[in-house]
Amino acid sequence: MLNWVSGRSARRFLLLGALLLAVTLAASACAISPPAAVPPPSPTPRQAESSPARQRQTRSSLPPPLVRFEHLSVEEGLAHSEVWAITQDRLGFLWFGTQNGLGRYDGFTFETFRHDPNDEGSLRDNFIESLYVDSTGTLWVGTQSGWLERYNPLEDSSTHYNLTPHIYDIAESADGDLWLGSLESGLVRFNPESKVAETIWRASAVWAVDVAADGTIWAASAENGIVRVDPVTTQVVEYQPEVPVLD
């Protein structure tokens, strides 16, 4: 009987020992087991780039910028309701050539310049047909009766040059000469230093004169077509469009 009890106790001790060993081995395995691998983050899907056509479509769908127009009339101080020429000087003043004087607008009020028989420096003619600000900032005024006016803002007076009736347009070449479009004399070149004027292209009613980026002079006549002039050699090349050219 004692031997059986001792044997059962021995088996119990062996079983307990085996359980303790299994628990110890399991705990050790948990302690040394490497951490579970973290899966790499899924790549973010790449957004499709919008095509240039789509970008243009998006831009075109935007509302246009707000443009506000302000009307200036005789009631606001404009010299006359018919305006023949407009330009802006370096100080920001707007100049309006009308049938009844030259108007200067500062953004708030008008100041009008007209012929004054008692003032030698005033305009010779109130009918203004062309305005131009040259590379030095000087304002030039072309009148119906043929006066070319050089305005001096410091003295508030003009220097007068009697050239040719109806000076419709004014442009400047790189050498500082002025090119005038006129009714009777055609295309005229005027040198402000020597005060000499000469007709380069005799045509009727030269309405428009412009200087290209390469320095070439272009002029347009209602009856004689379009002309290209070399400012150095004054060589003239004429073109005859199918319709009259007015500007």
Side-chain angles (χ1 to χ4, degrees):
M1 182 68 181
L2 182 60
N3 292 336
W4 179 82
V5 173
S6 300
R8 189 171 63 178
S9 298
R11 285 194 299 273
R12 181 179 298 175
F13 288 135
L14 290 174
L15 180 60
L16 291 174
L19 289 174
L20 290 175
L21 179 60
V23 170
T24 303
L25 291 176
S28 300
C30 293
I32 62 175
S33 61
V38 179
S42 302
T44 303
R46 183 178 181 183
Q47 296 181 354
E49 298 181 357
S50 58
S51 62
R54 184 175 181 85
Q55 294 177 359
R56 288 194 297 269
Q57 183 179 2
T58 303
R59 287 195 296 266
S60 63
S61 62
L62 296 176
L66 180 62
V67 178
R68 183 174 64 87
F69 291 92
E70 182 178 351
H71 299 276
L72 302 174
S73 64
V74 176
E75 285 73 17
E76 283 74 34
L78 187 64
H80 195 274
S81 59
E82 292 192 19
V83 178
W84 282 70
I86 302 174
T87 192
Q88 186 175 23
D89 64 20
R90 291 183 175 180
L91 299 178
F93 289 110
L94 289 175
W95 294 85
F96 298 85
T98 76
Q99 292 187 15
N100 190 28
L102 176 64
R104 182 176 66 187
Y105 184 64
D106 62 3
F108 300 96
T109 58
F110 277 96
E111 183 175 0
T112 302
F113 302 86
R114 293 188 177 95
H115 173 65
D116 182 354
N118 298 317
D119 183 1
E120 182 65 24
S122 67
L123 296 173
R124 283 289 185 264
D125 185 4
N126 291 332
F127 199 128
I128 312 300
E129 293 186 325
S130 57
L131 296 171
Y132 183 76
V133 177
D134 67 14
S135 58
T136 66
T138 300
L139 175 66
W140 293 88
V141 181
T143 69
Q144 184 186 65
S145 60
W147 291 96
L148 180 65
E149 307 276 359
R150 182 176 188 170
Y151 178 70
N152 185 344
L154 298 178
E155 299 180 1
D156 195 16
S157 64
S158 298
T159 303
H160 323 289
Y161 307 95
N162 191 5
L163 300 181
T164 180
H166 293 281
I167 301 176
Y168 292 132
D169 203 4
I170 307 172
E172 180 188 15
S173 54
D175 56 5
D177 285 349
L178 297 181
W179 295 76
L180 317 175
S182 68
L183 174 64
E184 298 180 2
S185 300
L187 180 62
V188 177
R189 181 173 65 180
F190 175 73
N191 186 300
E193 299 299 327
S194 64
K195 304 176 179 57
V196 173
E198 59 176 328
T199 298
I200 302 300
W201 179 48
R202 186 164 295 280
S204 177
V206 176
W207 290 95
V209 183
D210 203 357
V211 180
D214 61 356
T216 302
I217 312 298
W218 290 87
S221 167
E223 299 180 6
N224 301 95
I226 301 174
V227 68
R228 183 184 68 189
V229 182
D230 186 318
V232 178
T233 64
T234 66
Q235 180 182 2
V236 174
V237 179
E238 296 186 4
Y239 303 90
Q240 292 295 334
E242 297 180 357
V243 295
V245 180
L246 298 179
D247 199 357

